[in-house]
Amino acid sequence: MAITKKITPTLAALTASAAAMPGISGFASAASPITEPRISISTSSYQEQAIDGIRTTGTDNADRYDIEVGQFQLVAPMGDNAEIDFRLAKDRMSGASPWFVVEGADGEPVQVMSGATIDDERKDASLEYKHFNDSSAISVILGISSENDYLSHNIGVVVDQELNNNNTTVSVGYSFSDDNITATDSELFFSRPEKENKSVQLLSLNVSHAVNKNLAFQTGLSYEVQKGFLSDPYKLVMVNNIPLADSRPDSRYALIYVANLRQYFPKSTAALKIDYRYYADNWGIDSHTLSLIWHQNLTNNWSVAPMVRYYKQNEADFFANYLVTAENQASIHHSSDYRLSKFDAVSYGLTLTKQIGRMGIELSAEQYESTDSRKPGDSRTSPGLVDFSLVSLSASYEF
Amino acid sequence: MQIKGNNHAKLCLESRQFNAMGSPCEVQLYLSSADMDIFDILEREIKRLEGKYSRYQETSVVSNINRVAKLGGQLTVDSETAAILQFADHCFQSSSGLFDITTGVLRNAWNFKTGIKPASCKLNKYLSLVGWKKLHWQNSRLSFPEPGMELDFGGIVKEYAVDALVTLCRTAGIESGIIDLGGDIAVLGPHPDGSPWMIGIRHPRKNNQPILKIPVKQGCIATSGDYERYFEKEGQRYCHLLNPLTGQPAMELQSVSVIANLCVIAGMASTTSMLMGESLAKEWLDSLNLPYCLINKSGLLTSTG
């Protein structure tokens, strides 16, 4: 006997409300508190590759940053309607970083690295409290981040509202961060300020919608305002062969648009994630990021997720590897920071996860390569573009 | 490593038996040898639902709701429970008020162990506490304006568990198998050779004997009968299926089995049919276009589909 009979309107209505139950739809609602505490720890190793043919000052040490990251996270329910998410992270970084660019013998820009090896440690802690109401949730996030030359306090609020039978979620968020910069060795280097401050405000609106049980779409718009000291105290620019401090405008306004699509394929127990991000700011930078991830479940609770990402950006209006100008004509703002130059980058990675009972183990690797599409004499691209590899291992346990 | 669902070459019929929700359960699935851990996943999901919706567990969501209901008051429920209440509301509407999850309080009047019919004043007292329409419910906010009511998800949750297991199996790429939670059954898909599963309909008067076997390739089947809990007095059988409007047990039918795409639908339809009685049930099931197998008071079987 098969059910081939025509479905009546009454039965259709019953079936629709039955299929909305999460066990049947296979969709656990986004805004529901967790019921069991979960801890996870992870360790990552980030390594930047040395630049070919670089020039360093003082020593021969040309290694760029190596960063070791350790993270701890605890998510726990607080009564029936709330949860907390506590995170701690500690990074240890060492290596040299791009300092300034000089004109090479054949007219090529050549990167000069900071000679001394930089050793620093960043500590980061955040606490999020999320409270769930009927069909909405509110989160408050407090965070602190410190390095030996940097201290940042931040606070954020996010409100989620579910609509349309929980198929649509609208989120509005605001965050504020107050950062203090006290550059090291400011007494030795004229260009380094003793004490500076900057603030970052971010307002964002996101809408996510489950089109059907296998397709979800998310889109969002954010506006970011940065004010204060936005220059890099450790970078210089050669202007008419004189090293001057990195100097950037004291305000930056950015618009960010994101669109994410997630399609689940039940037959092959796989999911495709397509993420797009557009960024534009008043410094003249605009960038596009497109990433594709294929998440494939395998037998025995293994899963594998290959990833590829393409990134492209334009240089900031005031970017220059070095400047040669008529006397007194140097612009107020100038930076040779490779992150403000024009470049493309491709990264690819693989994540492998295995669930063993309540324990989850994840191993992931990513290789990031800035593509050197620079033509000889193209002053818009930096010789200090970075390539890096990232390997991380994490374990989580749900009680 | 092999990707699930893309290889039919080495499928073996594997089964697991366990007890859950007060019933013997059996799951039989065609699996490749590496997929055996699906049984643990399924058992975990049943235990989760049992822990959440059992009346007998103090910490369950249902016990929590009933503590508030007993005194009158209001509370917020999680989104899954809210979705189940939404479904219960639809069941109430489409059954003309016969499928009502507030009926359970009548158990205080009917004692199936002692086998004594309740006095009408006692029955009326509890009957006044029955009625889905008496409680207010919007989104995930549930309020009981008068004290003494009770909610019982017993008529939904076992069937819901069957459907939830089906979803988990399909997500894992399993296409062929059968899930049987104490007689609430889902057929995922036919045997790999395309042949249907033979589902036995229990004989309402002969324990563990099928009265009929029906071939099912895909779909769910649920049965309600007057044989699970009952007592007999003066030749009349009084069973545990109680009519929320009259407070009286279902009298006209021995059992009704209904086939539907979802087990929760088959379950609500079979329970409602038992309470409707023979002619109304047939008319109603036909109007819903649901295939059924019905055994009346005299043991006469009617089967459609």
Side-chain angles (χ1 to χ4, degrees):
Chain A
M1 201 183 295
I3 311 147
T4 49
K5 289 189 170 185
K6 193 168 159 271
I7 193 160
T8 66
T10 313
L11 186 57
L14 259 177
T15 306
S17 73
M21 294 191 278
I24 297 176
S25 66
F27 252 137
S29 173
S32 63
I34 59 156
T35 53
E36 306 295 343
R38 191 180 67 232
I39 57 166
S40 60
I41 51 169
S42 74
T43 172
S44 310
S45 169
Y46 166 96
Q47 283 188 309
E48 294 182 347
Q49 268 100 66
I51 306 169
D52 289 336
I54 55 156
R55 187 186 288 184
T56 59
T57 54
T59 71
D60 291 332
N61 187 351
D63 285 342
R64 295 186 74 163
Y65 269 140
D66 283 358
I67 307 179
E68 301 298 323
V69 186
Q71 282 169 313
F72 169 83
Q73 184 186 16
L74 167 73
V75 187
M78 299 277 284
D80 288 342
N81 292 319
E83 68 183 43
I84 54 157
D85 181 343
F86 175 65
R87 294 170 196 226
L88 272 179
K90 191 172 162 178
D91 306 355
R92 229 202 126 76
M93 54 200 105
S94 64
S97 75
W99 196 3
F100 56 90
V101 178
V102 295
E103 189 175 358
D106 51 0
E108 283 282 292
V110 174
Q111 182 71 54
V112 179
M113 302 295 285
S114 65
T117 290
I118 297 161
D119 259 309
D120 201 356
E121 197 172 83
R122 187 174 70 94
K123 293 185 203 107
D124 215 79
S126 74
L127 180 67
E128 175 177 354
Y129 177 81
K130 189 165 188 175
H131 189 271
F132 298 85
N133 301 312
D134 285 6
S135 55
S136 62
I138 182 162
S139 310
V140 178
I141 306 126
L142 292 173
I144 183 165
S145 178
S146 79
E147 290 172 41
N148 65 10
D149 58 349
Y150 181 82
L151 180 65
S152 164
H153 296 89
N154 54 75
I155 182 165
V157 180
V158 182
V159 176
D160 298 327
Q161 176 67 50
E162 296 203 350
L163 305 167
N164 184 21
N165 237 340
N166 293 352
N167 286 323
T168 307
T169 307
V170 178
S171 303
V172 181
Y174 172 77
S175 68
F176 175 81
S177 155
D178 177 62
D179 305 350
N180 285 305
I181 304 121
T182 43
T184 52
D185 300 332
S186 58
E187 67 283 6
L188 298 178
F189 293 91
F190 72 95
S191 60
R192 296 186 187 177
E194 213 167 297
K195 192 170 162 75
E196 290 288 354
N197 177 273
K198 80 165 198 262
S199 68
V200 183
Q201 295 182 82
L202 182 72
L203 184 67
S204 51
L205 173 71
N206 274 287
V207 179
S208 50
H209 178 65
V211 180
N212 57 47
K213 69 177 197 171
N214 294 325
L215 179 65
F217 181 73
Q218 193 218 331
T219 185
L221 200 61
S222 305
Y223 186 63
E224 188 185 60
V225 178
Q226 296 189 47
K227 297 242 175 199
F229 182 75
L230 306 178
S231 306
D232 186 327
Y234 304 106
K235 293 199 190 305
L236 301 173
V237 188
M238 293 301 276
V239 178
N240 296 332
N241 280 324
I242 300 165
L244 296 182
D246 180 272
S247 162
R248 308 178 189 185
D250 57 9
S251 62
R252 187 178 192 177
Y253 304 96
L255 197 65
I256 302 140
Y257 170 76
V258 291
N260 307 323
L261 188 85
R262 194 186 167 94
Q263 171 76 51
Y264 182 64
F265 301 94
K267 283 250 152 138
S268 37
T269 67
L272 174 68
K273 263 186 90 176
I274 304 176
D275 296 342
Y276 171 76
R277 181 180 188 269
Y278 173 74
Y279 171 97
D281 67 22
N282 68 327
W283 290 3
I285 293 182
D286 59 29
S287 74
H288 303 267
T289 314
L290 181 67
S291 68
L292 303 177
I293 301 174
W294 181 263
H295 184 101
Q296 179 69 57
N297 283 335
L298 304 168
T299 52
N300 282 331
N301 291 326
W302 283 93
S303 75
V304 63
M307 176 280 288
V308 61
R309 188 189 307 119
Y310 177 71
Y311 179 83
K312 180 184 174 63
Q313 87 166 34
N314 272 340
E315 78 283 10
D317 297 336
F318 52 86
F319 171 81
N321 282 316
Y322 48 81
L323 284 165
V324 181
T325 63
E327 213 169 334
N328 300 326
Q329 297 241 320
S331 60
I332 314 164
H333 300 126
H334 38 68
S335 174
S336 65
D337 188 341
Y338 68 94
R339 291 167 296 190
L340 302 179
S341 80
K342 179 188 175 185
F343 68 98
D344 314 354
V346 175
S347 54
Y348 38 93
L350 193 71
T351 301
L352 203 59
T353 53
K354 164 86 173 159
Q355 193 73 30
I356 309 163
R358 291 164 182 272
M359 166 108 81
I361 302 209
E362 185 176 298
L363 177 68
S364 74
E366 180 182 340
Q367 180 69 32
Y368 175 101
E369 280 168 17
S370 302
T371 46
D372 195 0
S373 55
R374 181 160 45 99
K375 293 172 194 78
D378 186 348
S379 60
R380 295 178 299 169
T381 297
S382 165
L385 292 178
V386 70
D387 293 346
F388 67 79
S389 57
L390 179 66
V391 179
S392 63
L393 177 67
S394 66
S396 62
Y397 188 85
E398 190 163 327
F399 291 91
Chain B
M1 273 182 284
Q2 207 171 57
I3 292 166
K4 278 180 193 175
N6 290 350
N7 187 314
H8 301 279
K10 288 181 214 153
L11 293 177
C12 294
L13 185 61
E14 305 284 354
S15 71
R16 178 160 316 172
Q17 290 164 345
F18 49 91
N19 280 301
M21 300 187 171
S23 309
C25 305
E26 183 173 24
V27 179
Q28 298 181 60
L29 302 170
Y30 280 96
L31 300 175
S32 68
S33 57
D35 288 343
M36 289 297 283
D37 50 8
I38 183 72
F39 288 117
D40 295 333
I41 296 169
L42 300 183
E43 238 184 292
R44 234 178 1 244
E45 175 69 355
I46 299 180
K47 299 284 181 212
R48 180 185 77 82
L49 290 171
E50 186 172 19
K52 194 168 175 183
Y53 295 109
S54 165
R55 288 188 293 128
Y56 305 106
Q57 295 193 17
E58 274 298 295
T59 53
S60 74
V61 168
V62 171
S63 298
N64 216 357
I65 292 173
N66 283 336
R67 271 191 290 274
V68 174
K70 196 171 183 178
L71 302 169
Q74 48 182 301
L75 79 162
T76 302
V77 295
D78 66 281
S79 58
E80 183 173 38
T81 306
I84 294 175
L85 291 171
Q86 170 87 50
F87 176 66
D89 183 57
H90 270 100
C91 291
F92 180 85
Q93 313 285 354
S94 359
S95 66
S96 314
L98 284 176
F99 191 95
D100 187 332
I101 61 169
T102 66
T103 311
V105 73
L106 290 175
R107 267 188 299 260
N108 296 302
W110 288 89
N111 187 330
F112 294 97
K113 280 190 187 125
T114 57
I116 301 163
K117 277 178 68 181
S120 62
C121 60
K122 187 179 185 186
L123 187 61
N124 287 337
K125 179 187 145 199
Y126 286 107
L127 201 52
S128 71
L129 298 170
V130 174
W132 173 250
K133 286 284 161 218
K134 289 195 174 85
L135 57 87
H136 298 310
W137 169 71
Q138 194 173 27
N139 291 327
S140 49
R141 198 81 188 146
L142 189 60
S143 66
F144 298 89
E146 53 183 293
M149 293 183 75
E150 268 181 36
L151 290 193
D152 184 357
F153 290 72
I156 297 180
V157 164
K158 191 148 63 75
E159 292 82 353
Y160 174 54
V162 171
D163 290 325
L165 300 202
V166 169
T167 301
L168 287 172
C169 287
R170 293 212 197 287
T171 305
I174 297 161
E175 290 162 2
S176 174
I178 184 168
I179 293 161
D180 178 350
L181 306 186
D184 291 323
I185 295 164
V187 175
L188 279 167
H191 293 278
D193 65 4
S195 62
W197 295 79
M198 298 306 291
I199 307 297
I201 304 288
R202 186 190 140 152
H203 194 300
R205 294 295 174 263
K206 291 177 188 162
N207 201 2
N208 292 329
Q209 260 194 45
I211 193 168
L212 179 72
K213 281 196 166 185
I214 52 174
V216 180
K217 284 192 171 179
Q218 191 177 16
C220 298
I221 182 159
T223 303
S224 283
D226 66 359
Y227 45 78
E228 273 174 33
R229 254 174 302 132
Y230 66 93
F231 64 84
E232 282 181 342
K233 196 132 190 143
E234 293 149 6
Q236 178 66 53
R237 180 180 286 225
Y238 299 91
C239 75
H240 75 294
L241 294 166
L242 299 168
N243 185 317
L245 307 173
T246 63
Q248 295 299 322
M251 301 275 197
E252 276 192 38
L253 294 165
Q254 293 184 1
S255 84
V256 181
S257 304
V258 177
I259 299 191
N261 278 319
L262 291 171
C263 200
V264 282
I265 306 269
M268 78 72 71
S270 62
T271 305
T272 305
S273 301
M274 281 297 288
L275 296 170
M276 281 180 165
E278 185 171 1
S279 59
L280 263 179
K282 284 178 173 170
E283 203 179 298
W284 182 68
L285 289 168
D286 285 337
S287 79
L288 288 175
N289 248 346
L290 289 172
Y292 61 88
C293 167
L294 174 152
I295 298 153
N296 72 6
K297 205 174 182 176
S298 343
L300 198 70
L301 187 148
T302 314
S303 160
T304 70

